[in-house]
Amino acid sequence: EPPSPLDPPSGCAFHPRCPHATAECRVETPVLRSMVGGGRSQGVACHHAERILAAELVLAAAPATGL
């Protein structure tokens, strides 16, 4: 459920529902920055954007095992 705009959480507004959230996310608001990767360029505001993108690229490059 999205946070209330009248009472947003501390730190990153997405941390209560983000599977990648850490203690850093709960206390520090990430800065919006430009990120290029995976053939795309976009603005991101995430402490872990590079790590998440790298993991997605590894998964995308892995051969399908049919499991």
Side-chain angles (χ1 to χ4, degrees):
E1 182 172 321
S4 166
L6 300 176
D7 186 25
S10 62
C12 177
F14 293 97
H15 86 262
R17 56 194 166 130
C18 176
H20 306 286
T22 61
E24 177 183 23
C25 305
R26 290 186 273 286
V27 295
E28 187 176 326
T29 302
V31 176
L32 181 62
R33 57 198 164 88
S34 180
M35 186 172 139
V36 178
R40 62 185 189 252
S41 174
Q42 62 188 49
V44 297
C46 177
H47 297 297
H48 310 293
E50 289 84 4
R51 180 177 53 83
I52 294 166
L53 178 62
E56 288 176 356
L57 293 174
V58 168
L59 288 174
T65 61
L67 296 178

